[in-house]
Amino acid sequence: MEVFDLIRQQSEYMKSVIPLIASENVTSKFVRECYLSDFGHRYAMGDVEKRIYSGCNIIDRLEELAIKYTKELFGCEHANVKPISGTIANLAVYRALTECGDKILALPVKCGGHFSFHDSANVRCLRTVEMPFDPSEFNIDLDNAKKKIIEERPKLVILGASVFLFSHPVKELVEVAHEVGARVMYDGSHVLGLIAGKEFQDPIKEGADVVTASTHKTFPGPQRAVIMCKEELAEMIDYGVMPCVVSNHHIHSLAGYAMACIEMLEFGRDYARQIVRNAKALAEELYNLGYNVLCPHLEFTKSHQVVVDVGNGCEVVGKLEKANILTNPCLLPWDDDKASGIRIGVQEVTRLGMKEDEMREIARFIDMALKDKKPIKDIKNEIKEFKSNFLTVKYTFEEHPAY
């Protein structure tokens, strides 16, 4: 049948490419088995022990387990595991903590901000004020951000990013935000796995009121999301999630999230540590090959991402795709409409067992493709042979084929 043919084609394709999309990862067989369970047939509207439908006793235990593991991993006071995407999680927070017409302070897209800080905020009729940004440091301009908070008095200050190289000044901005009665939300979607593995800042310990995150980037779980918050906000956040933006919350992927939490409790530190090492190694090699990798004075990155100014991101991404290297274009602070950058993520190749030596090899493949050092066909063949040694999921309880 055509659908199954396409599934097979996708699996074969992934065996021959280098996946460097910063917002993707590959799950373990244990997570995948959850997708195929009977949970995928069921509804569980409402809260634990307060469901609208009957027959949810076992689902209640599952949700309690997912909440327990979330609290254990991240040290949060309250966790809501119902959101089915990062954008939905952000919308729930807007519903809970703001009213129509309120101001929010967030990074613009060309400085790494996610579209949900802007376009999705319009659903709530919010006015987004741009967070000051320092392009040379690729980070929030702390002094000007403090001034902006005092001047604008937003209802919500949003930290975290989609293009995210370095920790944000959470503690410093929380202090100022609270002075003017604002709450602080940290979107940790990209770095959730690094936070779990203790290789990035801990926004909860640094005082963020709410942390939202999708669970399928550096955190190697299913495509859904989580919200963590202070206990005083729990009731508002829970209502903002269900019934406001979530009905049934896809119980099969909730089981997958719980399973991914178990894996991260066991293997998260080693996994996160290797991700950051790999990102630095790839960035350094690309820099040595002559590419304009951002922030060499800061060792390029402290996350899973590497950002390169290539002049025309879309053109470069297209050229790399022809060679079976997958990445994506991104706007940079100095851009108008055309994306001049590419964003590279190493979390998936790390989960396949690649380390620093392989990152240098990937840099060589990128260089060959962009400088036409070999015919595309030859580069694709070399990549396929290279990838054939990395088709197994690591950092899990039992290694197994990735595709």
Side-chain angles (χ1 to χ4, degrees):
M1 289 186 286
E2 288 179 301
V3 171
F4 291 106
D5 285 342
L6 291 172
I7 291 171
R8 283 189 287 270
Q9 288 176 37
Q10 177 69 12
S11 294
E12 288 304 310
Y13 176 63
M14 294 306 300
K15 291 177 184 178
S16 65
V17 304
I18 298 175
L20 300 174
I21 303 292
S23 55
E24 296 179 354
N25 211 326
V26 60
T27 57
S28 71
K29 71 174 185 178
F30 304 104
V31 172
R32 296 178 205 181
E33 286 174 4
C34 297
Y35 300 166
L36 302 178
S37 68
D38 184 70
F39 287 136
H41 306 142
R42 306 304 159 199
Y43 257 55
M45 292 178 63
D47 294 321
V48 173
E49 306 290 357
K50 299 176 183 178
R51 306 294 187 186
I52 295 173
Y53 297 166
S54 60
C56 292
N57 291 337
I58 296 170
I59 293 172
D60 285 348
R61 304 290 81 75
L62 172 65
E63 189 165 333
E64 287 177 332
L65 201 62
I67 292 169
K68 171 190 170 185
Y69 290 141
T70 303
K71 289 182 175 180
E72 188 173 348
L73 264 176
F74 300 104
C76 58
E77 294 179 6
H78 179 76
N80 188 300
V81 295
K82 292 183 175 72
I84 56 175
S85 77
T87 296
I88 293 295
N90 289 349
L91 284 171
V93 175
Y94 300 158
R95 174 61 179 78
L97 302 184
T98 68
E99 296 188 13
C100 184
D102 283 344
K103 291 179 185 177
I104 62 174
L105 184 67
L107 287 173
V109 172
K110 68 179 184 178
C111 296
H114 192 252
F115 72 85
S116 65
F117 304 167
H118 303 272
D119 297 334
S120 299
N122 290 337
V123 174
R124 185 65 171 156
C125 305
L126 301 175
R127 294 178 289 160
T128 303
V129 177
E130 290 192 357
M131 176 79 74
F133 191 77
D134 183 349
S136 65
E137 302 295 298
F138 213 84
N139 209 329
I140 291 168
D141 181 334
L142 179 57
D143 289 340
N144 284 321
K146 287 180 176 179
K147 292 177 183 177
K148 184 71 75 172
I149 291 171
I150 293 170
E151 291 170 1
E152 297 288 346
R153 302 183 73 85
K155 191 70 170 289
L156 187 66
V157 175
I158 302 177
L159 306 178
S162 185
V163 183
F164 204 1
L165 299 178
F166 306 108
S167 296
H168 283 174
V170 176
K171 182 178 179 181
E172 296 87 345
L173 292 182
V174 163
E175 292 174 359
V176 180
H178 286 178
E179 286 177 9
V180 301
R183 297 288 187 179
V184 174
M185 179 187 106
Y186 182 102
D187 186 334
S189 293
H190 269 272
V191 293
L192 187 66
L194 303 182
I195 295 170
K198 315 304 179 187
E199 284 294 318
F200 208 71
Q201 69 185 132
D202 186 333
I204 293 171
K205 285 186 178 179
E206 292 181 27
D209 297 292
V210 183
V211 175
T212 63
S214 54
T215 56
H216 54 269
K217 298 180 174 79
T218 52
F219 195 92
Q223 294 194 13
R224 59 182 299 118
V226 62
I227 302 176
M228 297 169 279
C229 68
K230 295 178 178 178
E231 188 62 43
E232 66 193 70
L233 301 178
E235 187 175 347
M236 290 187 290
I237 292 296
D238 287 351
Y239 182 79
V241 175
M242 181 181 288
C244 292
V245 295
V246 173
S247 174
N248 179 51
H249 55 296
H250 302 181
I251 312 304
H252 57 309
S253 64
L254 176 62
Y257 167 70
M259 189 64 236
C261 285
I262 294 170
E263 290 178 325
M264 288 300 284
L265 284 165
E266 184 71 22
F267 306 102
R269 292 206 176 196
D270 289 342
Y271 179 46
R273 187 180 304 116
Q274 192 61 52
I275 288 173
V276 176
R277 287 175 177 172
N278 283 353
K280 288 181 179 292
L282 178 59
E284 183 177 8
E285 189 66 16
L286 286 171
Y287 182 79
N288 291 339
L289 288 168
Y291 292 91
N292 186 13
V293 185
L294 268 55
C295 298
H297 64 297
L298 298 173
E299 299 181 332
F300 306 106
T301 183
K302 291 186 179 179
S303 76
H304 62 302
Q305 295 183 9
V306 176
V307 178
V308 189
D309 186 346
V310 293
N312 189 328
C314 293
E315 182 179 300
V316 166
V317 165
K319 194 167 186 178
L320 290 174
E321 184 178 8
K322 290 178 181 177
N324 281 10
I325 301 169
L326 308 181
T327 184
N328 70 276
C330 64
L331 289 166
L332 297 178
W334 41 89
D335 292 338
D336 291 324
D337 297 320
K338 186 179 75 172
S340 65
I342 62 171
R343 182 184 67 171
I344 299 170
V346 301
Q347 67 291 336
E348 183 168 348
V349 292
T350 302
R351 191 141 209 235
L352 298 176
M354 296 188 195
K355 295 188 175 179
E356 290 91 332
D357 286 345
E358 287 74 38
M359 297 304 105
R360 289 183 273 272
E361 188 75 356
I362 288 173
R364 185 179 71 85
F365 285 132
I366 291 172
D367 189 54
M368 281 197 299
L370 295 183
K371 295 179 180 176
D372 300 315
K373 291 185 174 180
K374 288 185 179 182
I376 287 293
K377 182 180 178 182
D378 292 344
I379 298 174
K380 289 174 71 173
N381 287 336
E382 281 193 38
I383 286 175
K384 186 173 183 178
E385 182 178 354
F386 167 79
K387 184 70 177 296
S388 68
N389 297 308
F390 299 97
L391 297 175
T392 303
V393 175
K394 312 290 185 181
Y395 305 100
T396 185
F397 294 100
E398 180 184 324
E399 295 180 7
H400 57 84
Y403 310 113

